[in-house]
Amino acid sequence: MRDPMRERLRAPEAGRGFELHPGAWWLWALGLATAASRTTNPLLLMLLCAVAGYVVSARRTDAPWARSYSVFLKLGLAVLVIRLFFAFFLGSPVPGSHVLVVLPEVPLPDWAMGVRVGGRVTAEGLVFALYDGLKLAALLVCVGAANALANPARLLKSLPGALYEAGVAVVVAMTFAPNLVADVRRLRAARRLRGRADKGVRSVLQVGLPVLEGALERSVALAAAMDARGYGRSAEVPPAVRRTTTLLTLGGLLGVCAGTYALLSAQGAVYGLPVLLAGVLLALAGLRLGGRRSIRSRYRPELFGSRAWLVSLSGAATGAVMVAAGSAFPEALHPQAVPLTAPQFPLWPAAGLLAGLLPAFVAPSPAPEPGPEPTSAREPAPEPSAVASSPVHEEPAR
């Protein structure tokens, strides 16, 4: 017997009416990125990566753009390896007493003072590089989670009217690369079928001209389709409204940049949030006024429902907890490399990071792939004799 209350609380399957707003995923990921920027503790950073990975594995679809999470994981690992490589061969600004190995040092001219190649490799320098590289890798993991969960086409569709032209340009730019790759593959397959070589400089030069011709034809067809649909037409607004829109938008974007930089820094947490909120309000007001020039209609607008608010607030709560923990647990959030100490595991900042797991339970779950229809559910096909013997009712002519 099914419990009706449990069925009501269960997350629905992602369909036409239950898709989560893509902006909610980006707000959740930005909250996790804010939390990652406030600490260099490897235990908390690995916990944060685990939270993001669990949510992605639970709510990722089978769309092509959802496969980008593995790319960001590899990119974060590459950043960590490169950071350790530079710390090993080029030295570290952190002094240390535990020497691991002494490399042959390359003599440099006087104008390169402060830079060295080789020399002593200390454990403190490598630990400092590990903390720093892991922090950047966690930021890349958060951005990769947003890219894997948020549909880019729906995100561009939900842009305000003032950014309509920019959104269309981004969509066209995003579709150019896949079409180019498809053309190259098609032409190389055609060359292989004709018994010609599909590798080498000569084949690339011979394939390049048809690819360029196809890109030009698509551009002309796209321009004709956009012109037929009235793209670029705008309503007339007074000059005062245009100037006010420009001032509000520029001022709001500057405020957002300044507030974001202050939140990511260690000393600007006090004034960063008010500046960020003021910038967001000014930018929204400017975009609202700028949308008066757009005379287009919107089909099936994206709704920011209750589940989207829960997802966004979970990311905001994760970032807020780490910002508040910066003053309460400064040593635990930023373990020292000199002298070498084992990183601590603060409990309530770690519990705040676990709040980022909420989207794995409240966001709509991805719809399962349609499988083959069971044999028992299929209707048997009528026999030819039965079809031939069935009477045909014709409508009398009027």
Side-chain angles (χ1 to χ4, degrees):
M1 183 176 181
R2 295 184 177 180
D3 188 1
M5 180 62 67
R6 186 176 180 181
E7 292 291 336
R8 186 180 303 174
L9 295 177
R10 181 180 299 175
E13 291 184 357
R16 183 175 290 271
F18 293 100
E19 292 180 339
L20 194 71
H21 196 284
W25 287 121
W26 275 103
L27 292 176
W28 168 78
L30 289 177
L32 295 186
T34 302
S37 65
R38 308 298 297 186
T39 180
T40 56
N41 191 321
L43 301 178
L44 295 179
L45 290 175
M46 288 189 291
L47 177 61
L48 184 65
C49 294
V51 168
Y54 181 79
V55 175
V56 170
S57 63
R59 290 299 180 261
R60 182 174 58 177
T61 62
D62 294 330
W65 44 265
R67 303 169 188 170
S68 61
Y69 184 69
S70 60
V71 178
F72 280 89
L73 284 179
K74 296 176 182 177
L75 183 59
L77 182 60
V79 167
L80 182 59
V81 172
I82 291 173
R83 185 68 179 87
L84 291 175
F85 176 83
F86 278 99
F88 187 84
F89 288 98
L90 301 182
S92 176
V94 176
S97 57
H98 296 78
V99 180
L100 299 178
V101 64
V102 179
L103 299 176
E105 189 170 354
V106 178
L108 297 177
D110 296 337
W111 54 267
M113 187 176 296
V115 180
R116 66 181 179 89
V117 179
R120 299 193 314 161
V121 179
T122 61
E124 290 83 355
L126 290 181
V127 169
F128 177 79
L130 176 65
Y131 291 170
D132 198 17
L134 192 59
K135 178 179 178 180
L136 183 55
L139 291 175
L140 290 174
V141 168
C142 296
V143 176
N147 279 275
L149 294 171
N151 190 336
R154 292 178 55 226
L155 183 62
L156 292 173
K157 176 185 172 183
S158 60
L159 287 177
L163 301 178
Y164 171 63
E165 288 83 0
V168 173
V170 172
V171 170
V172 172
M174 290 175 60
T175 56
F176 174 76
N179 290 332
L180 185 65
V181 173
D183 286 348
V184 172
R185 290 180 177 176
R186 176 174 55 83
L187 293 172
R188 291 182 62 185
R191 289 181 62 86
R192 286 195 300 268
L193 290 175
R194 293 184 177 95
R196 300 178 183 178
D198 61 336
K199 297 180 180 179
V201 180
R202 184 177 180 182
S203 64
V204 171
L205 294 177
Q206 293 178 354
V207 169
L209 185 59
V211 169
L212 180 60
E213 182 182 0
L216 291 176
E217 290 179 357
R218 283 195 305 271
S219 300
V220 173
L222 179 61
M226 294 171 67
D227 183 68
R229 288 169 174 81
Y231 173 76
R233 301 176 185 176
S234 59
E236 293 293 335
V237 294
V241 176
R242 292 200 299 267
R243 289 192 291 267
T244 305
T245 301
T246 303
L247 291 176
L248 289 176
T249 305
L250 290 179
L253 293 179
L254 290 176
V256 169
C257 294
T260 305
Y261 179 79
L263 285 178
L264 295 179
S265 63
Q267 293 81 15
V270 178
Y271 63 88
L273 185 60
V275 173
L276 178 61
L277 294 178
V280 169
L281 292 178
L282 290 178
L284 290 178
L287 294 177
R288 181 76 176 182
L289 286 178
R292 296 173 59 180
R293 296 180 65 249
S294 178
I295 56 178
R296 66 188 178 96
S297 59
R298 188 187 297 270
Y299 176 69
R300 296 183 63 87
E302 300 289 342
L303 300 178
F304 209 90
S306 58
R307 296 183 183 274
W309 280 110
L310 288 175
V311 171
S312 305
L313 290 177
S314 66
T318 303
V321 167
M322 293 301 294
V323 170
S327 57
F329 302 95
E331 296 181 356
L333 265 62
H334 299 278
Q336 297 181 359
V338 181
L340 284 175
T341 55
Q344 303 177 8
F345 188 73
L347 292 181
W348 73 266
L353 293 181
L354 294 179
L357 291 173
L358 185 62
F361 305 98
V362 301
S365 58
E369 289 293 328
E373 188 179 359
T375 309
S376 59
R378 299 175 185 172
E379 296 182 0
E383 298 181 359
S385 58
V387 175
S389 62
S390 60
V392 179
H393 300 279
E394 297 182 356
E395 186 179 359
R398 296 181 180 176

